[in-house]
Amino acid sequence: SNQKEGYLIALPEKNALSGMINETELANEMSLSYDAKTFHIAGELPQKLLMPEKTMAELNAQVRNPLRVHYFGGNDTKYYAQHRFFSRPRVPVVVQKMKASPKESLLVHCADNDFTRKQLPAFISNVVDDSLFRANLARDRYMMYEMLIGMPQLATDFQLMINTSGELYFIDFGGHAWGASRMEELSFSLNKIREEGLCGESFDMINHAL
């Protein structure tokens, strides 16, 4: 809709609507309790809508992996067909208005430091104020650990984005957080936060690159 807002669009599979509603509620709790940043907009809830054919064609031209492969048949014989990501117009999709992510940002997946390492040189070249970056990163990193101790279920597959000012934005946390209901998973996550410092290697790598 503008440079500061966009739309998250999902196929209505695997309870996508309820999952996105849960993530929105979780984002609100993270913001109110810890002042944590996400790309959710207060008061904006996901909706199930019909996608016009023109919009579907425009989206299929932009998605990163435009072809989806569908397999048919039993164990002995399999057939497959390729379809565009959104293959049928006038089929409901789940849509939510979101804040746009910064153009220059670093994706940190705490279980995959190699990805961060590969993207780091290009990202660091866009950091203008090293002192401001370090100060914001230290502040948000402290907040992040406080939040994870209070909400350890978030740590099961933790991902975030860092802008060029060193501020953290938490992403893709809804499905993992709401699915981690078993006590052993939560106990493992909490111990990992306390003993190992979740994402510590990624943060140290970023600080050393400044």
Side-chain angles (χ1 to χ4, degrees):
S1 56
N2 58 54
Q3 292 184 346
K4 295 184 178 181
E5 294 178 349
Y7 291 90
L8 181 65
I9 303 175
L11 296 172
E13 299 174 347
K14 297 180 181 179
N15 300 315
L17 179 60
S18 60
M20 288 170 67
I21 290 174
N22 287 341
E23 181 165 323
T24 301
E25 294 173 350
L26 193 59
N28 185 56
E29 181 182 351
M30 292 161 63
S31 175
L32 292 176
S33 300
Y34 300 97
D35 200 24
K37 301 179 187 68
T38 71
F39 294 114
H40 289 77
I41 300 173
E44 289 287 348
L45 294 175
Q47 305 175 59
K48 187 175 286 189
L49 303 172
L50 292 176
M51 180 183 293
E53 186 169 0
K54 180 182 177 182
T55 304
M56 184 192 72
E58 291 172 348
L59 288 173
N60 279 331
Q62 297 183 48
V63 294
R64 183 172 55 185
N65 298 309
L67 294 180
R68 306 173 71 228
V69 179
H70 298 267
Y71 291 92
F72 306 92
N75 294 328
D76 297 329
T77 305
K78 289 187 177 181
Y79 305 91
Y80 73 92
Q82 290 184 330
H83 299 283
R84 287 293 176 184
F85 190 84
F86 296 105
S87 57
R88 291 174 294 168
R90 310 303 296 175
V91 170
V93 292
V94 182
V95 180
Q96 185 171 14
K97 184 184 286 188
M98 305 280 282
K99 299 174 187 175
S101 61
K103 290 184 178 180
E104 303 295 342
S105 56
L106 179 67
L107 175 62
V108 177
H109 192 306
C110 295
D112 185 4
N113 288 308
D114 286 340
F115 181 86
T116 304
R117 185 179 291 107
K118 292 175 183 177
Q119 305 298 319
L120 189 55
F123 170 75
I124 288 295
S125 67
N126 292 298
V127 175
V128 175
D129 189 332
D130 289 5
S131 297
L132 176 65
F133 185 95
R134 289 181 189 275
N136 286 339
L137 183 61
R139 178 203 64 207
D140 282 5
R141 184 177 180 180
Y142 178 83
M143 173 273 296
M144 183 192 84
Y145 287 128
E146 290 293 306
M147 179 178 70
L148 289 173
I149 290 172
M151 305 171 70
Q153 68 271 32
L154 292 174
T156 53
D157 184 19
F158 201 57
Q159 301 176 55
L160 54 95
M161 296 179 73
I162 306 177
N163 66 15
T164 52
S165 296
E167 297 173 314
L168 306 186
Y169 289 81
F170 303 102
I171 62 171
D172 197 21
F173 47 82
H176 304 292
W178 288 87
S181 57
R182 295 182 300 172
M183 289 304 297
E184 57 267 28
E185 287 188 34
L186 300 186
S187 177
F188 171 80
S189 299
L190 186 56
N191 288 334
K192 187 173 184 179
I193 295 164
R194 287 174 170 166
E195 297 175 8
E196 301 177 20
L198 187 65
C199 292
E201 184 178 339
S202 295
F203 288 130
D204 291 343
M205 186 192 314
I206 294 165
N207 277 320
H208 291 156
L210 289 171

